[in-house]
């Protein structure tokens, strides 16, 4: 794992100190006093990525970057509103999710798609998100439980998600056959989507694992209904790995579906 340290906000209060010490102990990363230094200076001095424990949230900076990764619902908030109005959602249509279904997100990231899945499957369903990077896993797990929102529907959808820190293929190998209705794969895009600033901050600090035949094979075994892939529209993964591509003419990413026989 890359070197990571944790520090406080620029003007830390007692809460910031306590949060920094807590994450230091839980993730076994070094705590470094802020001493009025910039995050960039601390990152360069210790040659490390930097977690900043602020009063309201954690921010995670890649070494040399001025744009942090932090948890927030991202696109899930307005996508959920559209669903509540009865509008369609390409992700849900591709997954074919129904209330009570079980959904396994093998590449959780910030969790936006899993939030939408959680809303759709409801209290009787189950959503599990697997994240290989231990820092991202920690920040998203905390964020899903603690993010402040006045929207009770969004809050409940976030709180129902179970976050597991694991490598996706190894996790899949431990699951029984047909144990999740839908298995979802959303590896880091091979190409940048320029307008997605949040994705870029995640790209800088996250772990990059290319999609493999073994990964798809294990996902297919674990899925009861289908495996769904999200990838850049130029990706050859759809055709190379046997997915039926769902073309979206106005979008830079497409979904692919691998139905169970």
């Amino acid at each position: 794992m890359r070197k990571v340290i944790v520090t406080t906000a620029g003007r830390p209060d007692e809460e910031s100190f306590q949060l920094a010490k807590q994450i230091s102990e839980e993730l076994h990363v070094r705590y470094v006093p802020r001493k009025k230094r910039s995050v960039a200076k601390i990152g360069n001095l210790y040659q490390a990525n930097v977690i900043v424990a602020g009063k309201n949230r954690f921010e995670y900076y890649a070494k040399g970057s001025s744009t942090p990764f932090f948890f927030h619902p991202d696109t899930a908030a307005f996508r959920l509103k559209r669903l509540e109005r009865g509008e369609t959602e390409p992700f849900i249509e591709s997954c074919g999710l129904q209330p009570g279904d079980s959904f396994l997100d093998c590449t959780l990231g910030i969790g936006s798609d899993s939030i939408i899945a959680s809303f759709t499957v409801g209290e009787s369903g189950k959503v599990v998100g697997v994240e290989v990077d231990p820092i991202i896993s920690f920040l998203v797990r905390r964020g899903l439980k603690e993010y402040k929102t006045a929207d009770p529907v969004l809050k409940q959808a976030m709180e129902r998600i179970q976050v597991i820190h694991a490598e996706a293929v190894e996790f899949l190998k431990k699951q029984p056959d047909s144990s999740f209705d839908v298995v979802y794969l959303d590896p880091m895009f091979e190409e940048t989507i320029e307008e997605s600033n949040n994705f870029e901050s995640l790209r800088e600090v996250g772990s990059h694992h290319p999609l493999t035949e073994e990964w798809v094979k294990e996902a297919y075994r674990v899925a009861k209904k289908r495996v769904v892939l999200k990838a850049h529209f130029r990706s050859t993964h759809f055709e190379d790995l046997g997915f039926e591509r769902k073309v979206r003419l106005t979008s830079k990413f497409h979904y692919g579906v691998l139905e169970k026989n």
Side-chain angles (χ1 to χ4, degrees):
M1 188 180 88
R2 66 185 65 82
K3 185 178 179 182
V4 178
I5 59 176
V6 60
T7 190
T8 60
R11 295 181 178 179
D13 56 12
E14 183 59 28
E15 184 179 357
S16 183
F17 278 120
Q18 292 304 318
L19 285 172
K21 291 296 182 67
Q22 179 186 347
I23 195 171
S24 171
E25 293 171 3
E26 186 165 339
L27 294 178
H28 307 290
V29 297
R30 180 179 177 182
Y31 166 70
V32 174
R34 186 66 178 261
K35 295 181 179 179
K36 299 182 180 180
R37 296 174 293 190
S38 70
V39 174
K41 185 173 183 178
I42 293 174
N44 288 329
L45 180 62
Y46 291 91
Q47 290 295 294
N49 289 359
V50 181
I51 302 170
V52 176
K55 183 166 62 174
N56 298 316
R57 70 185 187 193
F58 292 107
E59 295 185 341
Y60 186 27
Y61 293 80
K63 184 172 70 70
S65 174
S66 60
T67 304
F69 170 83
F70 56 91
F71 176 81
H72 57 92
D74 197 42
T75 61
F78 66 81
R79 290 165 66 194
L80 191 151
K81 290 297 185 186
R82 289 205 302 251
L83 284 170
E84 288 185 292
R85 292 195 298 266
E87 298 180 27
T88 58
E89 162 66 49
F91 161 69
I92 295 300
E93 290 184 333
S94 297
C95 291
L97 284 174
Q98 300 292 329
D101 278 351
S102 55
F103 175 84
L104 174 61
D105 187 342
C106 289
T107 46
L108 180 64
I110 202 166
S112 297
D113 287 333
S114 280
I115 295 171
I116 299 303
S118 179
F119 167 77
T120 303
V121 303
E123 294 183 11
S124 61
K126 178 174 72 170
V127 173
V128 175
V130 175
E131 172 55 49
V132 66
D133 188 283
I135 309 298
I136 301 300
S137 175
F138 173 87
L139 297 180
V140 173
R141 184 173 69 251
R142 288 283 297 258
L144 287 167
K145 303 299 183 187
E146 299 174 4
Y147 184 82
K148 300 293 191 296
T149 174
D151 185 341
V153 176
L154 175 62
K155 182 70 172 174
Q156 290 163 14
M158 292 193 295
E159 290 179 344
R160 285 195 296 265
I161 299 169
Q162 179 186 0
V163 179
I164 295 175
H165 166 227
E167 194 279 321
V169 178
E170 293 306 312
F171 179 82
L172 285 165
K173 287 179 177 179
K174 297 175 183 177
Q175 308 310 305
D177 293 357
S178 302
S179 50
F180 285 86
D181 289 302
V182 177
V183 178
Y184 184 56
L185 312 174
D186 179 15
M188 287 283 187
F189 292 131
E190 304 98 314
E191 299 189 46
T192 300
I193 298 179
E194 294 179 0
E195 59 267 33
S196 182
N197 295 327
N198 183 55
F199 177 78
E200 283 310 297
S201 64
L202 178 59
R203 182 193 289 273
E204 288 186 328
V205 296
S207 300
H208 303 253
H209 286 232
L211 192 63
T212 62
E213 289 185 10
E214 181 185 27
W215 194 347
V216 174
K217 178 182 177 182
E218 286 298 323
Y220 188 80
R221 179 186 63 78
V222 170
K224 183 187 296 183
K225 295 181 179 179
R226 62 178 61 176
V227 180
V228 177
L229 169 66
K230 177 182 178 181
H232 194 278
F233 76 94
R234 292 197 184 96
S235 176
T236 62
H237 284 330
F238 301 103
E239 291 74 24
D240 293 345
L241 296 169
F243 286 84
E244 178 188 352
R245 184 193 291 258
K246 304 294 185 181
V247 176
R248 304 175 64 220
L249 296 177
T250 59
S251 176
K252 290 191 175 182
F253 62 86
H254 291 169
Y255 293 105
V257 174
L258 194 57
E259 294 277 8
K260 292 299 290 275
N261 297 326

